[in-house]
Amino acid sequence: MTSRRGFLVAVADTGRRTAGAHRPARWLLVLYVICLLVAAPTGVPRPVAGGGLSADRLTALFDSYGDTSGRWTGADRTTSVRLPDGRLLWLFSDTFLGPVGPDGSRPRTAPFVNNSAIVQHGEELGETLHGGTTDEPRALIPSPSPGEFHWIGDAQVVGDSLQVLANRYRRTGAGPLDHTLLGTSLATFALPSLTPTGVRPLPLDARVSWGSSLLRDGGHTYVYGTEAAGQAKFAHLARVAGDDLGGPWEFWTGDGWSTDGRASARVLSGVGTAYGVQRVDGRYVLVTHENNLVFSADLVAYTAGAPTGPFEGPDYLHRAPETAAGHLVYDADLHPDLARPGKLLVSYNVNDVDDAVTYADAGVYRPRFVEVDWPRPRPDRADVPPAPQALTARPGGAGAVDLTWPAVRADSDLRYQVHRRDVTAGQTHFVRIGEPSTEPRAAADFLVDRHEYEFRVTTLGRRGESPPSPVAATTATVPPPSPPTGLRARPGRSGDVTLSWDPVPLVQLFRIEQRDLATGRRGPVGTFTGTHATVEFLRHATTYEFTVVAIGGGGESVPSSPVRVTAVVTPPAAPAGLAASTRPDGTVRLTWRTLGLGVTYRVHRRDLTRGGAYDPPAWESGADHVARHLEHGHEYEFTVSAVNSGGEGPRATPVRIRARFAPPDAVPRDLRAEAGPGSVELTWRSPDPDGWHRIYRRDLTAGDRDFTEEPIPTRGTRATVAALHNGHEYEFVVAVTNQAGPGPRSEPVRATPRLPVPTGLTATAGGAGDVRLSWQSAGPGLAYRVQLRDATAGEGWRTDPVPVHSTGHTAVLLTRGHWYEFRVAATDGRQDGAVSAPVGVQVR
């Protein structure tokens, strides 16, 4: 089903292939991990026996859906929640919609939204849910302001409603780290329809992104969150009584609960923005991507006897193979509703530092699933090798630390594993670094200047891992990194430039700076990982200069040597999917498939009925247009072309349509009439207040039986009917009209126009047989007739033959000593109105 813009859209899995809308800067909340591309299974395996779904089944399910649904090609975050009717809802953050190309690539015009959902029915994926419309999709959970967006947290069912925690962000640059947290919102959806019922910000500060995981336990719902502090991330914990996340929150302070969110304490370091917490056999298991190390490929578990901790671990569950291809892994989560008995079902997400990679291979940006046995087997302590008995840490070259320890004498397969804890960064647990060594020595690198570190070593044998050695501590001294070298720039065809540079030892983050040589404007593009990045949305034929700064544990390098490149923007293709539909108001709505950001559209039309060329084009920024001022019954031809900084592309295949107005069916109401001199002013209420209306009248005094239509229609809800006979009673009705004709008429109203009676008449005798008359104006556009009589001589009333166009008159050649009376009537040139009350004066 689809609905109006701004509401939920459920797109059936029809297999249709469509091109999409716009794509803002895409990325993720967590950047700490690398990954290797896993080959997608060629077939979808059957569900396994024993309940639940296998990890292979789920990974293949999303691969197949992304390749064939035509609606969803990939996303991150991957939260699941079981609905009361048995369906499973998968919630995602950044999502690509639309089809996958025949070569497995994702079109550059693929629609992109910041959150979405997929409904699973039984063992198959069904509808894709998002906001907006199919042609113009929007996020499932909208944001209140432009430039802001929501990323999904965890979700739960509460009664007949679905509650979803979502974190609100604002983009601050083009790089993957360039965003800032603004707060946490609660989105609700009615069940079973999944209709959005509201999004409201929660009264929480922006230090913690809440909703990393939800856990119902006892009489509370526990809400886990993540605090990002530089390159470190820490778990926090809050709770609500019962299950309504809209109720009052309490925050774990380390030794109790407080209603003050500022008192929330760090529970554990090294978590992702998303992680999972599940109760298993009375213990609380927290599974996360390992974030105590930058770009780790490991998924780990911590356990505790209470939701608040303290947590023990880590247990290493899985090493993501995707890192070998230079991708990133992040955001591990648990899915207990689908897990098989005795196993943890874990998802994690995969991405790449370069957008070009995720476009070239749509399969990269999709969730992966793994399952691990739980509880983990524990070796007998008597079977594991002994731990090293001493450990020495000394500063090495280039900011590294050299570690040495006495060799352990045991079986011939011994290896050593180094563990590290960054005390200054607040890490709560040690983390494995490097690969196991066969020699009793190692070098620790990727350190931060002036940070205090603790190290320990374990022995790995055939039957398990020893307890750790004693701790050795040292403070790192790390110089700034060398500037990147070998910076290269390769222009694309869509206003994009691919930058690459040589690796810098012990550096994993780089900041790209850009200068527009045409304007001199310079500024940062963003912060990136790896040694390549794609800069987009550049102007055609404009030359840009780029530099790269390396960011390491010792700070920032000086900028690299600059490289210059001229951007190339190929004029866009002809818009596809042009369609036209008539509307009752006589307009025609055009829609087409968007070609993405940086493109505007020219809409061309011509009136085939009249003949002739196309009219001057109309401009549109989006993929729709409403053609107005059309003539009823005329056939029109429309076409659309797209324009970017490279110029105008070819026009779309034209469409033809006949404009038709539907006669109005709405009736004007509250018709009122105010009579004036020879006219009546009409006012009314209309369902189309700015539209056209027909006025009808009949002269009841003259015996008219039928209404006469006024020759000129009126626009708006007010009109003056003139040239009426004063003293005649008229009846009026009004109807909405368009090119198809008038609609039903209003209830009638009556009015009698009359000329006003002058007031304030005064008469003053002069001294030469004259009298000066004056009176008040009866209204604009009127003249006056003066009447007089010689009362002494017994005259009747006579009218002065010359109308007076002012409010004063002097009567002359009067008989002295006689008493005269005067009165005045207004005239419109056709009729005279009623006379005023007379005034008298004796002439001198």
Side-chain angles (χ1 to χ4, degrees):
M1 63 152 185
T2 59
S3 65
R4 294 173 295 171
R5 179 171 306 194
F7 290 85
L8 178 69
V9 172
V11 181
D13 182 9
T14 62
R16 289 178 52 210
R17 301 275 178 156
T18 57
H22 47 277
R23 184 185 65 85
R26 171 200 55 78
W27 248 86
L28 22 119
L29 280 175
V30 183
L31 256 225
Y32 306 143
V33 228
I34 20 183
C35 343
L36 164 164
L37 182 60
V38 173
T42 57
V44 179
R46 300 306 305 157
V48 297
L53 291 175
S54 71
D56 289 344
R57 162 70 172 163
L58 284 167
T59 300
L61 203 61
F62 280 98
D63 269 337
S64 175
Y65 188 81
D67 287 340
T68 64
S69 71
R71 294 300 183 184
W72 181 99
T73 67
D76 64 6
R77 180 53 172 98
T78 318
T79 292
S80 65
V81 58
R82 180 71 69 182
L83 302 180
D85 57 11
R87 294 176 298 165
L88 194 76
L89 185 68
W90 295 93
L91 289 156
F92 301 96
S93 290
D94 285 349
T95 304
F96 283 107
L97 302 171
V100 171
D103 60 353
S105 66
R106 178 178 286 120
R108 279 280 175 176
T109 56
F112 179 90
V113 294
N114 289 118
N115 52 77
S116 68
I118 296 176
V119 180
Q120 180 175 333
H121 303 268
E123 297 162 3
E124 299 298 332
L125 300 177
E127 314 93 274
T128 297
L129 307 181
H130 54 74
T133 66
T134 303
D135 294 329
E136 289 288 329
R138 298 288 185 266
L140 178 63
I141 300 176
S143 295
S145 302
E148 297 179 4
F149 57 90
H150 282 107
W151 276 332
I152 292 290
D154 209 350
Q156 65 174 11
V157 172
V158 180
D160 58 358
S161 178
L162 174 72
Q163 294 186 339
V164 183
L165 289 175
N167 292 298
R168 184 164 52 94
Y169 290 86
R170 181 177 63 246
R171 181 69 62 187
T172 58
L177 295 178
D178 301 328
H179 54 264
T180 184
L181 176 65
L182 301 177
T184 301
S185 301
L186 180 63
T188 54
F189 298 81
L191 295 175
S193 64
L194 290 170
T195 303
T197 54
V199 182
R200 64 182 178 92
L202 294 175
L204 308 169
D205 64 34
R207 181 169 61 110
V208 177
S209 57
W210 293 102
S212 303
S213 187
L214 293 174
L215 174 69
R216 288 184 180 174
D217 190 58
H220 291 87
T221 298
Y222 292 91
V223 185
Y224 291 84
T226 302
E227 174 196 0
Q231 292 187 4
K233 292 184 183 293
F234 299 91
H236 284 249
L237 180 60
R239 71 180 185 182
V240 296
D243 55 13
D244 183 7
L245 297 175
W249 285 38
E250 295 180 312
F251 304 88
W252 179 247
T253 65
D255 55 10
W257 296 95
S258 171
T259 58
D260 185 357
R262 294 170 297 181
S264 179
R266 295 172 175 176
V267 174
L268 178 71
S269 71
V271 295
T273 303
Y275 51 91
V277 182
Q278 181 179 338
R279 184 174 180 178
V280 182
D281 297 333
R283 297 279 293 175
Y284 298 86
V285 184
L286 187 154
V287 173
T288 182
H289 162 247
E290 174 58 84
N291 270 304
N292 282 311
L293 276 183
V294 177
F295 307 127
S296 170
D298 291 322
L299 308 182
V300 297
Y302 295 88
T303 60
T308 56
F311 285 93
E312 302 169 1
D315 281 308
Y316 285 80
L317 306 180
H318 176 73
R319 173 156 288 189
E322 290 81 4
T323 55
H327 307 312
L328 300 174
V329 294
Y330 57 102
D331 279 2
D333 207 347
L334 287 167
H335 305 277
D337 287 322
L338 290 173
R340 298 192 290 174
K343 295 182 181 294
L344 298 178
L345 180 62
V346 185
S347 67
Y348 62 95
N349 297 118
V350 180
N351 209 332
D352 197 274
V353 297
D354 194 342
D355 274 351
V357 175
T358 58
Y359 280 106
D361 184 353
V364 171
Y365 190 58
R366 290 175 187 162
R368 272 71 162 168
F369 294 84
V370 295
E371 52 188 348
V372 295
D373 295 332
W374 194 269
R376 303 292 281 173
R378 304 293 181 188
D380 191 315
R381 303 247 338 162
D383 294 334
V384 300
Q389 294 304 303
L391 175 63
T392 302
R394 295 185 179 88
V401 169
D402 292 329
L403 303 169
T404 58
W405 58 90
V408 173
R409 304 302 176 188
D411 61 60
S412 59
D413 291 335
L414 288 185
R415 293 172 301 157
Y416 302 98
Q417 179 66 60
V418 177
H419 305 257
R420 186 188 78 192
R421 185 167 77 94
D422 186 337
V423 178
T424 304
Q427 290 181 357
T428 57
H429 292 70
F430 282 84
V431 60
R432 291 178 183 175
I433 61 171
E435 296 298 322
S437 168
T438 58
E439 300 296 328
R441 66 185 65 89
D445 47 23
F446 288 102
L447 305 177
V448 179
D449 189 41
R450 293 188 294 276
H451 275 219
E452 181 184 356
Y453 290 91
E454 292 181 345
F455 298 91
R456 62 189 190 188
V457 181
T458 57
T459 308
L460 305 178
R462 287 193 296 266
R463 297 185 179 180
E465 185 175 9
S466 75
S469 70
V471 170
T474 189
T475 299
T477 301
V478 184
S482 302
T485 58
L487 179 60
R488 301 169 292 279
R490 178 171 54 84
R493 305 290 297 170
S494 303
D496 57 307
V497 168
T498 299
L499 300 173
S500 60
W501 53 92
D502 298 333
V504 177
L506 307 180
V507 171
Q508 295 167 308
L509 293 177
F510 299 88
R511 187 178 68 252
I512 297 175
E513 304 277 344
Q514 168 186 303
R515 182 163 72 99
D516 183 333
L517 296 185
T519 64
R521 187 181 300 114
R522 67 172 69 234
V525 174
T527 305
F528 298 84
T529 60
T531 57
H532 57 93
T534 301
V535 183
E536 299 179 295
F537 309 119
L538 304 176
R539 297 195 310 278
H540 178 66
T542 301
T543 301
Y544 296 86
E545 183 178 86
F546 296 95
T547 57
V548 180
V549 172
I551 304 172
E556 298 184 358
S557 73
V558 298
S560 68
S561 298
V563 63
R564 292 184 176 183
V565 63
T566 300
V568 176
V569 181
T570 304
L578 178 61
S581 59
T582 59
R583 306 203 300 182
D585 61 356
T587 62
V588 168
R589 183 170 185 258
L590 302 172
T591 59
W592 56 91
R593 294 175 190 157
T594 182
L595 293 175
L597 291 177
V599 176
T600 56
Y601 303 92
R602 301 180 76 182
V603 182
H604 310 262
R605 85 178 187 197
R606 61 176 175 169
D607 186 335
L608 297 177
T609 302
R610 288 186 179 275
Y614 281 100
D615 296 337
W619 288 89
E620 291 290 354
S621 59
D624 61 37
H625 171 75
V626 176
R628 306 180 188 277
H629 309 300
L630 307 178
E631 293 193 48
H632 178 65
H634 283 214
E635 185 180 20
Y636 290 86
E637 182 177 87
F638 296 92
T639 184
V640 180
S641 59
V643 181
N644 60 18
S645 63
E648 181 177 4
R651 296 181 181 183
T653 302
V655 296
R656 294 184 176 186
I657 193 168
R658 194 172 297 277
R660 294 194 181 279
F661 287 80
D665 57 4
V667 181
R669 295 178 296 153
D670 298 334
L671 178 61
R672 300 179 184 277
E674 183 176 344
S679 65
V680 170
E681 184 175 18
L682 300 173
T683 59
W684 60 91
R685 294 175 59 189
S686 173
D688 186 12
D690 294 324
W692 291 94
H693 298 80
R694 280 288 183 185
I695 299 171
Y696 304 83
R697 75 179 183 196
R698 62 179 176 179
D699 187 336
L700 298 177
T701 302
D704 290 348
R705 298 176 61 87
D706 298 321
F707 283 94
T708 300
E709 181 182 84
E710 291 295 307
I712 300 175
T714 296
R715 187 171 187 176
T717 58
R718 180 183 297 272
T720 299
V721 182
L724 302 178
H725 293 286
N726 290 304
H728 283 217
E729 185 179 26
Y730 289 86
E731 190 170 68
F732 301 89
V733 292
V734 179
V736 181
T737 191
N738 60 26
Q739 292 188 36
R745 298 176 180 180
S746 68
E747 292 293 326
V749 66
R750 295 182 179 185
T752 302
R754 298 183 188 278
L755 286 168
V757 178
T759 59
L761 178 62
T762 62
T764 305
D770 61 317
V771 171
R772 176 67 182 171
L773 303 173
S774 66
W775 57 90
Q776 294 180 1
S777 173
L782 296 176
Y784 302 92
R785 292 287 193 179
V786 178
Q787 296 182 1
L788 72 161
R789 69 175 181 174
D790 184 341
T792 301
E795 280 186 346
W797 289 99
R798 54 189 172 88
T799 302
D800 193 296
V802 180
V804 177
H805 294 279
S806 64
T807 58
H809 175 72
T810 301
V812 297
L813 302 176
L814 304 178
T815 304
R816 295 184 176 183
H818 282 213
W819 182 265
Y820 281 82
E821 290 184 340
F822 300 89
R823 61 188 186 187
V824 182
T827 183
D828 59 5
R830 296 187 303 114
Q831 293 177 288
D832 295 343
V835 294
S836 66
V839 296
V841 65
Q842 187 167 0
V843 178
R844 292 181 295 163

